[in-house]
PDB file of all heavy atoms in Angstrom:
ATOM      1  N   ALA A   1      47.128-132.056-138.491  1.00  0.00           N
ATOM      2  CA  ALA A   1      47.997-132.897-137.996  1.00  0.00           C
ATOM      3  C   ALA A   1      47.638-134.528-137.999  1.00  0.00           C
ATOM      4  O   ALA A   1      48.413-135.258-138.258  1.00  0.00           O
ATOM      5  CB  ALA A   1      48.060-132.619-136.424  1.00  0.00           C
ATOM      6  N   ALA A   2      46.342-134.775-138.019  1.00  0.00           N
ATOM      7  CA  ALA A   2      45.875-136.081-138.214  1.00  0.00           C
ATOM      8  C   ALA A   2      46.049-136.634-139.584  1.00  0.00           C
ATOM      9  O   ALA A   2      46.388-137.724-139.818  1.00  0.00           O
ATOM     10  CB  ALA A   2      44.339-136.129-137.842  1.00  0.00           C
ATOM     11  N   VAL A   3      45.935-135.793-140.557  1.00  0.00           N
ATOM     12  CA  VAL A   3      46.204-136.031-141.953  1.00  0.00           C
ATOM     13  C   VAL A   3      47.693-136.418-142.180  1.00  0.00           C
ATOM     14  O   VAL A   3      48.203-137.353-142.702  1.00  0.00           O
ATOM     15  CB  VAL A   3      45.724-134.853-142.936  1.00  0.00           C
ATOM     16  CG1 VAL A   3      46.276-135.183-144.330  1.00  0.00           C
ATOM     17  CG2 VAL A   3      44.366-134.627-142.847  1.00  0.00           C
ATOM     18  N   LEU A   4      48.493-135.519-141.668  1.00  0.00           N
ATOM     19  CA  LEU A   4      49.953-135.754-141.764  1.00  0.00           C
ATOM     20  C   LEU A   4      50.378-137.170-141.036  1.00  0.00           C
ATOM     21  O   LEU A   4      51.277-137.865-141.565  1.00  0.00           O
ATOM     22  CB  LEU A   4      50.836-134.511-141.275  1.00  0.00           C
ATOM     23  CG  LEU A   4      50.670-133.298-141.970  1.00  0.00           C
ATOM     24  CD1 LEU A   4      51.448-132.143-141.319  1.00  0.00           C
ATOM     25  CD2 LEU A   4      51.050-133.515-143.383  1.00  0.00           C
ATOM     26  N   LYS A   5      49.910-137.367-139.804  1.00  0.00           N
ATOM     27  CA  LYS A   5      50.128-138.602-139.223  1.00  0.00           C
ATOM     28  C   LYS A   5      49.722-139.762-139.960  1.00  0.00           C
ATOM     29  O   LYS A   5      50.609-140.757-140.094  1.00  0.00           O
ATOM     30  CB  LYS A   5      49.500-138.396-137.777  1.00  0.00           C
ATOM     31  CG  LYS A   5      49.836-139.699-136.958  1.00  0.00           C
ATOM     32  CD  LYS A   5      49.243-139.621-135.603  1.00  0.00           C
ATOM     33  CE  LYS A   5      49.610-140.905-134.746  1.00  0.00           C
ATOM     34  NZ  LYS A   5      49.105-140.866-133.514  1.00  0.00           N
ATOM     35  N   LYS A   6      48.524-139.681-140.580  1.00  0.00           N
ATOM     36  CA  LYS A   6      48.089-140.876-141.281  1.00  0.00           C
ATOM     37  C   LYS A   6      48.901-141.108-142.547  1.00  0.00           C
ATOM     38  O   LYS A   6      49.032-142.229-142.952  1.00  0.00           O
ATOM     39  CB  LYS A   6      46.583-140.483-141.716  1.00  0.00           C
ATOM     40  CG  LYS A   6      45.860-141.665-142.486  1.00  0.00           C
ATOM     41  CD  LYS A   6      44.516-141.355-142.776  1.00  0.00           C
ATOM     42  CE  LYS A   6      43.760-142.473-143.525  1.00  0.00           C
ATOM     43  NZ  LYS A   6      42.426-142.219-143.931  1.00  0.00           N
ATOM     44  N   MET A   7      49.388-140.066-143.102  1.00  0.00           N
ATOM     45  CA  MET A   7      50.217-140.176-144.385  1.00  0.00           C
ATOM     46  C   MET A   7      51.729-140.418-143.956  1.00  0.00           C
ATOM     47  O   MET A   7      52.555-140.478-144.808  1.00  0.00           O
ATOM     48  CB  MET A   7      50.190-138.856-145.088  1.00  0.00           C
ATOM     49  CG  MET A   7      48.868-138.713-145.728  1.00  0.00           C
ATOM     50  SD  MET A   7      48.608-137.085-146.653  1.00  0.00           S
ATOM     51  CE  MET A   7      49.784-137.398-148.077  1.00  0.00           C
ATOM     52  N   ASN A   8      52.043-140.474-142.666  1.00  0.00           N
ATOM     53  CA  ASN A   8      53.474-140.790-142.155  1.00  0.00           C
ATOM     54  C   ASN A   8      54.416-139.624-142.635  1.00  0.00           C
ATOM     55  O   ASN A   8      55.563-139.894-142.958  1.00  0.00           O
ATOM     56  CB  ASN A   8      53.943-142.138-142.593  1.00  0.00           C
ATOM     57  CG  ASN A   8      55.114-142.549-141.777  1.00  0.00           C
ATOM     58  OD1 ASN A   8      55.141-142.255-140.575  1.00  0.00           O
ATOM     59  ND2 ASN A   8      55.978-143.363-142.274  1.00  0.00           N
ATOM     60  N   GLU A   9      53.744-138.403-142.731  1.00  0.00           N
ATOM     61  CA  GLU A   9      54.602-137.217-143.137  1.00  0.00           C
ATOM     62  C   GLU A   9      55.226-136.605-141.862  1.00  0.00           C
ATOM     63  O   GLU A   9      54.533-136.538-140.761  1.00  0.00           O
ATOM     64  CB  GLU A   9      53.658-136.182-143.752  1.00  0.00           C
ATOM     65  CG  GLU A   9      53.362-136.537-145.124  1.00  0.00           C
ATOM     66  CD  GLU A   9      54.479-136.581-146.170  1.00  0.00           C
ATOM     67  OE1 GLU A   9      55.324-135.681-145.967  1.00  0.00           O
ATOM     68  OE2 GLU A   9      54.445-137.313-146.987  1.00  0.00           O
ATOM     69  N   PRO A  10      56.447-136.134-141.999  1.00  0.00           N
ATOM     70  CA  PRO A  10      57.125-135.475-140.745  1.00  0.00           C
ATOM     71  C   PRO A  10      56.486-134.271-140.321  1.00  0.00           C
ATOM     72  O   PRO A  10      56.167-133.326-141.099  1.00  0.00           O
ATOM     73  CB  PRO A  10      58.639-135.402-141.136  1.00  0.00           C
ATOM     74  CG  PRO A  10      58.483-135.232-142.703  1.00  0.00           C
ATOM     75  CD  PRO A  10      57.286-136.047-143.168  1.00  0.00           C
ATOM     76  N   HIS A  11      56.206-134.193-138.982  1.00  0.00           N
ATOM     77  CA  HIS A  11      55.606-133.000-138.415  1.00  0.00           C
ATOM     78  C   HIS A  11      55.935-132.874-137.030  1.00  0.00           C
ATOM     79  O   HIS A  11      56.413-133.851-136.341  1.00  0.00           O
ATOM     80  CB  HIS A  11      54.158-133.009-138.664  1.00  0.00           C
ATOM     81  CG  HIS A  11      53.380-134.104-137.951  1.00  0.00           C
ATOM     82  ND1 HIS A  11      53.479-135.382-138.428  1.00  0.00           N
ATOM     83  CD2 HIS A  11      52.644-134.122-136.993  1.00  0.00           C
ATOM     84  CE1 HIS A  11      52.707-136.177-137.744  1.00  0.00           C
ATOM     85  NE2 HIS A  11      52.185-135.489-136.690  1.00  0.00           N
ATOM     86  N   PHE A  12      55.761-131.666-136.380  1.00  0.00           N
ATOM     87  CA  PHE A  12      55.960-131.401-135.043  1.00  0.00           C
ATOM     88  C   PHE A  12      54.861-130.563-134.613  1.00  0.00           C
ATOM     89  O   PHE A  12      54.451-129.564-135.157  1.00  0.00           O
ATOM     90  CB  PHE A  12      57.334-130.591-134.916  1.00  0.00           C
ATOM     91  CG  PHE A  12      57.598-130.339-133.414  1.00  0.00           C
ATOM     92  CD1 PHE A  12      58.289-131.209-132.658  1.00  0.00           C
ATOM     93  CD2 PHE A  12      57.401-129.014-132.829  1.00  0.00           C
ATOM     94  CE1 PHE A  12      58.734-130.970-131.465  1.00  0.00           C
ATOM     95  CE2 PHE A  12      57.747-128.691-131.635  1.00  0.00           C
ATOM     96  CZ  PHE A  12      58.437-129.721-130.836  1.00  0.00           C
ATOM     97  N   LEU A  13      54.256-131.089-133.455  1.00  0.00           N
ATOM     98  CA  LEU A  13      53.050-130.409-132.868  1.00  0.00           C
ATOM     99  C   LEU A  13      53.480-129.504-131.659  1.00  0.00           C
ATOM    100  O   LEU A  13      54.267-129.892-130.931  1.00  0.00           O
ATOM    101  CB  LEU A  13      51.993-131.424-132.472  1.00  0.00           C
ATOM    102  CG  LEU A  13      51.602-132.462-133.493  1.00  0.00           C
ATOM    103  CD1 LEU A  13      50.493-133.277-132.853  1.00  0.00           C
ATOM    104  CD2 LEU A  13      50.953-131.563-134.628  1.00  0.00           C
ATOM    105  N   MET A  14      52.921-128.379-131.671  1.00  0.00           N
ATOM    106  CA  MET A  14      53.250-127.333-130.790  1.00  0.00           C
ATOM    107  C   MET A  14      51.943-127.031-129.936  1.00  0.00           C
ATOM    108  O   MET A  14      50.814-127.259-130.445  1.00  0.00           O
ATOM    109  CB  MET A  14      53.734-126.044-131.341  1.00  0.00           C
ATOM    110  CG  MET A  14      55.022-126.216-131.939  1.00  0.00           C
ATOM    111  SD  MET A  14      55.720-124.793-132.756  1.00  0.00           S
ATOM    112  CE  MET A  14      55.947-123.687-131.490  1.00  0.00           C
ATOM    113  N   ASP A  15      52.043-126.574-128.674  1.00  0.00           N
ATOM    114  CA  ASP A  15      50.797-126.316-127.847  1.00  0.00           C
ATOM    115  C   ASP A  15      50.348-125.007-128.199  1.00  0.00           C
ATOM    116  O   ASP A  15      49.174-124.673-127.941  1.00  0.00           O
ATOM    117  CB  ASP A  15      51.302-126.169-126.349  1.00  0.00           C
ATOM    118  CG  ASP A  15      51.681-127.486-125.777  1.00  0.00           C
ATOM    119  OD1 ASP A  15      51.103-128.539-126.169  1.00  0.00           O
ATOM    120  OD2 ASP A  15      52.401-127.488-124.760  1.00  0.00           O
ATOM    121  N   SER A  16      51.029-124.184-129.047  1.00  0.00           N
ATOM    122  CA  SER A  16      50.531-122.945-129.486  1.00  0.00           C
ATOM    123  C   SER A  16      50.672-122.770-130.994  1.00  0.00           C
ATOM    124  O   SER A  16      51.209-123.786-131.656  1.00  0.00           O
ATOM    125  CB  SER A  16      51.300-121.788-128.811  1.00  0.00           C
ATOM    126  OG  SER A  16      52.664-122.098-128.861  1.00  0.00           O
ATOM    127  N   ASN A  17      50.236-121.717-131.510  1.00  0.00           N
ATOM    128  CA  ASN A  17      50.476-121.456-132.937  1.00  0.00           C
ATOM    129  C   ASN A  17      51.812-121.415-133.274  1.00  0.00           C
ATOM    130  O   ASN A  17      52.614-120.855-132.633  1.00  0.00           O
ATOM    131  CB  ASN A  17      49.903-119.998-133.382  1.00  0.00           C
ATOM    132  CG  ASN A  17      48.608-120.322-134.237  1.00  0.00           C
ATOM    133  OD1 ASN A  17      48.279-121.369-134.735  1.00  0.00           O
ATOM    134  ND2 ASN A  17      47.912-119.136-134.470  1.00  0.00           N
ATOM    135  N   PRO A  18      52.379-122.107-134.385  1.00  0.00           N
ATOM    136  CA  PRO A  18      53.819-121.970-134.637  1.00  0.00           C
ATOM    137  C   PRO A  18      54.275-120.773-135.307  1.00  0.00           C
ATOM    138  O   PRO A  18      54.778-120.822-136.426  1.00  0.00           O
ATOM    139  CB  PRO A  18      53.907-123.210-135.616  1.00  0.00           C
ATOM    140  CG  PRO A  18      52.534-123.333-136.334  1.00  0.00           C
ATOM    141  CD  PRO A  18      51.592-122.885-135.311  1.00  0.00           C
ATOM    142  N   THR A  19      54.155-119.667-134.528  1.00  0.00           N
ATOM    143  CA  THR A  19      54.558-118.354-134.993  1.00  0.00           C
ATOM    144  C   THR A  19      56.097-118.408-134.826  1.00  0.00           C
ATOM    145  O   THR A  19      56.651-119.209-134.071  1.00  0.00           O
ATOM    146  CB  THR A  19      53.982-117.336-134.250  1.00  0.00           C
ATOM    147  OG1 THR A  19      54.292-117.414-132.807  1.00  0.00           O
ATOM    148  CG2 THR A  19      52.415-117.202-134.397  1.00  0.00           C
ATOM    149  N   ALA A  20      56.787-117.279-135.429  1.00  0.00           N
ATOM    150  CA  ALA A  20      58.188-117.154-135.126  1.00  0.00           C
ATOM    151  C   ALA A  20      58.494-116.884-133.678  1.00  0.00           C
ATOM    152  O   ALA A  20      59.504-117.354-133.188  1.00  0.00           O
ATOM    153  CB  ALA A  20      58.681-115.998-135.958  1.00  0.00           C
ATOM    154  N   GLU A  21      57.652-116.157-133.027  1.00  0.00           N
ATOM    155  CA  GLU A  21      57.757-115.958-131.536  1.00  0.00           C
ATOM    156  C   GLU A  21      57.682-117.249-130.746  1.00  0.00           C
ATOM    157  O   GLU A  21      58.665-117.430-129.846  1.00  0.00           O
ATOM    158  CB  GLU A  21      56.604-114.992-131.113  1.00  0.00           C
ATOM    159  CG  GLU A  21      56.631-113.607-131.609  1.00  0.00           C
ATOM    160  CD  GLU A  21      55.928-113.508-133.094  1.00  0.00           C
ATOM    161  OE1 GLU A  21      55.610-114.513-133.628  1.00  0.00           O
ATOM    162  OE2 GLU A  21      55.647-112.344-133.284  1.00  0.00           O
ATOM    163  N   ASN A  22      56.789-118.127-131.040  1.00  0.00           N
ATOM    164  CA  ASN A  22      56.659-119.325-130.452  1.00  0.00           C
ATOM    165  C   ASN A  22      57.794-120.328-130.689  1.00  0.00           C
ATOM    166  O   ASN A  22      58.213-121.157-129.813  1.00  0.00           O
ATOM    167  CB  ASN A  22      55.340-119.998-130.474  1.00  0.00           C
ATOM    168  CG  ASN A  22      54.209-119.163-129.771  1.00  0.00           C
ATOM    169  OD1 ASN A  22      54.504-118.641-128.700  1.00  0.00           O
ATOM    170  ND2 ASN A  22      53.047-119.162-130.295  1.00  0.00           N
ATOM    171  N   ILE A  23      58.259-120.345-131.859  1.00  0.00           N
ATOM    172  CA  ILE A  23      59.405-121.244-132.257  1.00  0.00           C
ATOM    173  C   ILE A  23      60.591-120.708-131.532  1.00  0.00           C
ATOM    174  O   ILE A  23      61.338-121.514-131.057  1.00  0.00           O
ATOM    175  CB  ILE A  23      59.601-121.224-133.871  1.00  0.00           C
ATOM    176  CG1 ILE A  23      58.291-121.878-134.424  1.00  0.00           C
ATOM    177  CG2 ILE A  23      60.730-122.056-134.258  1.00  0.00           C
ATOM    178  CD1 ILE A  23      58.278-121.595-135.933  1.00  0.00           C
ATOM    179  N   ALA A  24      60.805-119.373-131.460  1.00  0.00           N
ATOM    180  CA  ALA A  24      61.989-118.890-130.863  1.00  0.00           C
ATOM    181  C   ALA A  24      61.906-119.284-129.294  1.00  0.00           C
ATOM    182  O   ALA A  24      62.890-119.673-128.683  1.00  0.00           O
ATOM    183  CB  ALA A  24      61.983-117.369-130.863  1.00  0.00           C
ATOM    184  N   ARG A  25      60.760-119.221-128.611  1.00  0.00           N
ATOM    185  CA  ARG A  25      60.554-119.549-127.326  1.00  0.00           C
ATOM    186  C   ARG A  25      60.867-121.025-127.081  1.00  0.00           C
ATOM    187  O   ARG A  25      61.465-121.457-126.114  1.00  0.00           O
ATOM    188  CB  ARG A  25      59.070-119.256-126.730  1.00  0.00           C
ATOM    189  CG  ARG A  25      58.958-119.657-125.351  1.00  0.00           C
ATOM    190  CD  ARG A  25      57.574-119.195-124.842  1.00  0.00           C
ATOM    191  NE  ARG A  25      56.543-119.635-125.665  1.00  0.00           N
ATOM    192  CZ  ARG A  25      55.284-119.392-125.522  1.00  0.00           C
ATOM    193  NH1 ARG A  25      54.936-118.505-124.617  1.00  0.00           N
ATOM    194  NH2 ARG A  25      54.284-119.760-126.230  1.00  0.00           N
ATOM    195  N   LEU A  26      60.448-121.894-127.970  1.00  0.00           N
ATOM    196  CA  LEU A  26      60.708-123.307-128.026  1.00  0.00           C
ATOM    197  C   LEU A  26      62.173-123.687-127.953  1.00  0.00           C
ATOM    198  O   LEU A  26      62.600-124.378-127.167  1.00  0.00           O
ATOM    199  CB  LEU A  26      59.940-124.065-129.206  1.00  0.00           C
ATOM    200  CG  LEU A  26      60.270-125.568-129.348  1.00  0.00           C
ATOM    201  CD1 LEU A  26      59.489-126.245-128.292  1.00  0.00           C
ATOM    202  CD2 LEU A  26      59.880-126.039-130.743  1.00  0.00           C
ATOM    203  N   ILE A  27      62.909-122.994-128.825  1.00  0.00           N
ATOM    204  CA  ILE A  27      64.296-123.272-128.932  1.00  0.00           C
ATOM    205  C   ILE A  27      65.018-122.661-127.662  1.00  0.00           C
ATOM    206  O   ILE A  27      65.937-123.333-127.115  1.00  0.00           O
ATOM    207  CB  ILE A  27      64.906-122.588-130.230  1.00  0.00           C
ATOM    208  CG1 ILE A  27      64.368-123.351-131.462  1.00  0.00           C
ATOM    209  CG2 ILE A  27      66.425-122.645-130.128  1.00  0.00           C
ATOM    210  CD1 ILE A  27      64.551-122.574-132.823  1.00  0.00           C
ATOM    211  N   TYR A  28      64.590-121.634-127.140  1.00  0.00           N
ATOM    212  CA  TYR A  28      65.200-120.988-125.987  1.00  0.00           C
ATOM    213  C   TYR A  28      64.926-121.948-124.798  1.00  0.00           C
ATOM    214  O   TYR A  28      65.812-122.198-124.071  1.00  0.00           O
ATOM    215  CB  TYR A  28      64.530-119.585-125.635  1.00  0.00           C
ATOM    216  CG  TYR A  28      64.833-118.973-124.333  1.00  0.00           C
ATOM    217  CD1 TYR A  28      66.013-118.150-124.220  1.00  0.00           C
ATOM    218  CD2 TYR A  28      64.201-119.468-123.156  1.00  0.00           C
ATOM    219  CE1 TYR A  28      66.328-117.675-122.993  1.00  0.00           C
ATOM    220  CE2 TYR A  28      64.712-118.987-121.987  1.00  0.00           C
ATOM    221  CZ  TYR A  28      65.691-118.116-121.778  1.00  0.00           C
ATOM    222  OH  TYR A  28      66.231-117.508-120.607  1.00  0.00           O
ATOM    223  N   SER A  29      63.646-122.423-124.657  1.00  0.00           N
ATOM    224  CA  SER A  29      63.344-123.381-123.505  1.00  0.00           C
ATOM    225  C   SER A  29      64.225-124.731-123.561  1.00  0.00           C
ATOM    226  O   SER A  29      64.592-125.089-122.581  1.00  0.00           O
ATOM    227  CB  SER A  29      61.819-123.677-123.547  1.00  0.00           C
ATOM    228  OG  SER A  29      61.058-122.460-123.265  1.00  0.00           O
ATOM    229  N   PHE A  30      64.402-125.272-124.869  1.00  0.00           N
ATOM    230  CA  PHE A  30      65.051-126.336-124.834  1.00  0.00           C
ATOM    231  C   PHE A  30      66.493-126.055-124.585  1.00  0.00           C
ATOM    232  O   PHE A  30      67.242-126.845-123.738  1.00  0.00           O
ATOM    233  CB  PHE A  30      65.138-126.867-126.343  1.00  0.00           C
ATOM    234  CG  PHE A  30      66.017-128.034-126.544  1.00  0.00           C
ATOM    235  CD1 PHE A  30      65.764-129.348-126.150  1.00  0.00           C
ATOM    236  CD2 PHE A  30      67.302-127.912-127.067  1.00  0.00           C
ATOM    237  CE1 PHE A  30      66.474-130.376-126.273  1.00  0.00           C
ATOM    238  CE2 PHE A  30      68.203-129.065-127.111  1.00  0.00           C
ATOM    239  CZ  PHE A  30      67.713-130.114-126.777  1.00  0.00           C
ATOM    240  N   SER A  31      67.167-125.020-124.983  1.00  0.00           N
ATOM    241  CA  SER A  31      68.519-124.578-124.710  1.00  0.00           C
ATOM    242  C   SER A  31      68.775-124.373-123.119  1.00  0.00           C
ATOM    243  O   SER A  31      69.727-124.900-122.724  1.00  0.00           O
ATOM    244  CB  SER A  31      68.882-123.230-125.402  1.00  0.00           C
ATOM    245  OG  SER A  31      68.772-123.397-126.767  1.00  0.00           O
ATOM    246  N   LYS A  32      67.709-123.779-122.470  1.00  0.00           N
ATOM    247  CA  LYS A  32      67.840-123.521-121.171  1.00  0.00           C
ATOM    248  C   LYS A  32      67.709-124.861-120.441  1.00  0.00           C
ATOM    249  O   LYS A  32      68.445-125.094-119.431  1.00  0.00           O
ATOM    250  CB  LYS A  32      66.611-122.587-120.663  1.00  0.00           C
ATOM    251  CG  LYS A  32      66.864-121.866-119.520  1.00  0.00           C
ATOM    252  CD  LYS A  32      68.001-120.923-119.609  1.00  0.00           C
ATOM    253  CE  LYS A  32      67.957-119.775-118.604  1.00  0.00           C
ATOM    254  NZ  LYS A  32      69.243-119.148-118.511  1.00  0.00           N
ATOM    255  N   SER A  33      66.858-125.781-120.882  1.00  0.00           N
ATOM    256  CA  SER A  33      66.818-127.147-120.309  1.00  0.00           C
ATOM    257  C   SER A  33      68.034-127.942-120.251  1.00  0.00           C
ATOM    258  O   SER A  33      68.280-128.835-119.472  1.00  0.00           O
ATOM    259  CB  SER A  33      65.711-127.949-120.838  1.00  0.00           C
ATOM    260  OG  SER A  33      65.908-128.465-122.086  1.00  0.00           O
ATOM    261  N   LYS A  34      68.901-127.595-121.224  1.00  0.00           N
ATOM    262  CA  LYS A  34      70.204-128.226-121.403  1.00  0.00           C
ATOM    263  C   LYS A  34      71.256-127.494-120.641  1.00  0.00           C
ATOM    264  O   LYS A  34      72.532-127.709-120.872  1.00  0.00           O
ATOM    265  CB  LYS A  34      70.642-128.479-122.882  1.00  0.00           C
ATOM    266  CG  LYS A  34      69.672-129.352-123.584  1.00  0.00           C
ATOM    267  CD  LYS A  34      69.582-130.758-122.902  1.00  0.00           C
ATOM    268  CE  LYS A  34      68.666-131.662-123.544  1.00  0.00           C
ATOM    269  NZ  LYS A  34      68.534-132.835-122.917  1.00  0.00           N
ATOM    270  N   ARG A  35      70.913-126.488-119.880  1.00  0.00           N
ATOM    271  CA  ARG A  35      71.788-125.805-119.101  1.00  0.00           C
ATOM    272  C   ARG A  35      72.767-124.854-119.745  1.00  0.00           C
ATOM    273  O   ARG A  35      73.912-124.575-119.268  1.00  0.00           O
ATOM    274  CB  ARG A  35      72.582-126.566-117.939  1.00  0.00           C
ATOM    275  CG  ARG A  35      71.642-127.357-116.995  1.00  0.00           C
ATOM    276  CD  ARG A  35      72.265-128.181-115.958  1.00  0.00           C
ATOM    277  NE  ARG A  35      71.332-128.545-115.119  1.00  0.00           N
ATOM    278  CZ  ARG A  35      71.553-128.311-113.741  1.00  0.00           C
ATOM    279  NH1 ARG A  35      72.553-127.840-113.216  1.00  0.00           N
ATOM    280  NH2 ARG A  35      70.498-128.821-112.980  1.00  0.00           N
ATOM    281  N   LEU A  36      72.292-124.496-120.977  1.00  0.00           N
ATOM    282  CA  LEU A  36      73.242-123.479-121.697  1.00  0.00           C
ATOM    283  C   LEU A  36      72.876-122.110-121.121  1.00  0.00           C
ATOM    284  O   LEU A  36      71.713-121.850-120.775  1.00  0.00           O
ATOM    285  CB  LEU A  36      72.851-123.575-123.155  1.00  0.00           C
ATOM    286  CG  LEU A  36      73.324-125.015-123.805  1.00  0.00           C
ATOM    287  CD1 LEU A  36      72.804-124.917-125.228  1.00  0.00           C
ATOM    288  CD2 LEU A  36      74.829-125.017-123.918  1.00  0.00           C
ATOM    289  N   PRO A  37      73.880-121.230-121.153  1.00  0.00           N
ATOM    290  CA  PRO A  37      73.653-119.876-120.683  1.00  0.00           C
ATOM    291  C   PRO A  37      73.088-118.944-121.717  1.00  0.00           C
ATOM    292  O   PRO A  37      73.458-117.968-122.030  1.00  0.00           O
ATOM    293  CB  PRO A  37      75.005-119.427-120.229  1.00  0.00           C
ATOM    294  CG  PRO A  37      75.988-120.089-121.175  1.00  0.00           C
ATOM    295  CD  PRO A  37      75.340-121.424-121.374  1.00  0.00           C
ATOM    296  N   VAL A  38      71.858-119.419-122.162  1.00  0.00           N
ATOM    297  CA  VAL A  38      71.125-118.697-123.200  1.00  0.00           C
ATOM    298  C   VAL A  38      70.447-117.412-122.676  1.00  0.00           C
ATOM    299  O   VAL A  38      69.847-117.460-121.505  1.00  0.00           O
ATOM    300  CB  VAL A  38      70.106-119.592-123.983  1.00  0.00           C
ATOM    301  CG1 VAL A  38      69.076-120.049-122.998  1.00  0.00           C
ATOM    302  CG2 VAL A  38      69.650-118.947-125.125  1.00  0.00           C
ATOM    303  N   VAL A  39      70.630-116.340-123.420  1.00  0.00           N
ATOM    304  CA  VAL A  39      70.017-115.113-123.073  1.00  0.00           C
ATOM    305  C   VAL A  39      68.728-114.851-123.844  1.00  0.00           C
ATOM    306  O   VAL A  39      67.693-114.373-123.375  1.00  0.00           O
ATOM    307  CB  VAL A  39      70.989-113.924-123.298  1.00  0.00           C
ATOM    308  CG1 VAL A  39      70.323-112.579-123.058  1.00  0.00           C
ATOM    309  CG2 VAL A  39      72.124-114.011-122.299  1.00  0.00           C
ATOM    310  N   SER A  40      68.916-115.215-125.171  1.00  0.00           N
ATOM    311  CA  SER A  40      67.802-114.998-126.072  1.00  0.00           C
ATOM    312  C   SER A  40      67.978-115.947-127.376  1.00  0.00           C
ATOM    313  O   SER A  40      69.033-116.320-127.751  1.00  0.00           O
ATOM    314  CB  SER A  40      67.704-113.495-126.550  1.00  0.00           C
ATOM    315  OG  SER A  40      68.778-113.234-127.417  1.00  0.00           O
ATOM    316  N   VAL A  41      66.857-115.977-128.036  1.00  0.00           N
ATOM    317  CA  VAL A  41      66.871-116.731-129.342  1.00  0.00           C
ATOM    318  C   VAL A  41      66.189-115.866-130.380  1.00  0.00           C
ATOM    319  O   VAL A  41      64.965-115.398-130.055  1.00  0.00           O
ATOM    320  CB  VAL A  41      66.131-118.148-129.290  1.00  0.00           C
ATOM    321  CG1 VAL A  41      66.030-118.664-130.674  1.00  0.00           C
ATOM    322  CG2 VAL A  41      67.064-119.068-128.416  1.00  0.00           C
ATOM    323  N   LYS A  42      66.750-115.586-131.405  1.00  0.00           N
ATOM    324  CA  LYS A  42      66.211-114.684-132.535  1.00  0.00           C
ATOM    325  C   LYS A  42      65.850-115.720-133.589  1.00  0.00           C
ATOM    326  O   LYS A  42      66.754-116.469-134.057  1.00  0.00           O
ATOM    327  CB  LYS A  42      67.135-113.633-133.033  1.00  0.00           C
ATOM    328  CG  LYS A  42      66.588-112.684-134.035  1.00  0.00           C
ATOM    329  CD  LYS A  42      67.641-111.787-134.489  1.00  0.00           C
ATOM    330  CE  LYS A  42      67.949-110.838-133.508  1.00  0.00           C
ATOM    331  NZ  LYS A  42      68.922-109.698-134.062  1.00  0.00           N
TER     332      LYS A  42
END
């Protein structure tokens, strides 16, 4: 992350490992925060 920041490369930092499971949870949480009636994210 520090290397990418120094090089001004686009990146996104997560509190957890960027697994498919955690990315799905991230998108779900964002959708829920916008009051969408989301049930799941695959």
Side-chain angles (χ1 to χ4, degrees):
V3 174
L4 293 177
K5 183 177 181 178
K6 183 177 181 181
M7 295 178 65
N8 202 30
E9 287 290 326
H11 61 286
F12 181 83
L13 300 181
M14 298 178 62
D15 291 332
S16 54
N17 249 349
T19 61
E21 294 87 345
N22 286 325
I23 297 167
R25 178 174 54 186
L26 174 72
I27 295 168
Y28 175 94
S29 297
F30 175 81
S31 301
K32 208 61 160 163
S33 78
K34 296 302 180 184
R35 298 182 170 233
L36 291 172
V38 62
V39 173
S40 67
V41 171
K42 182 184 291 185

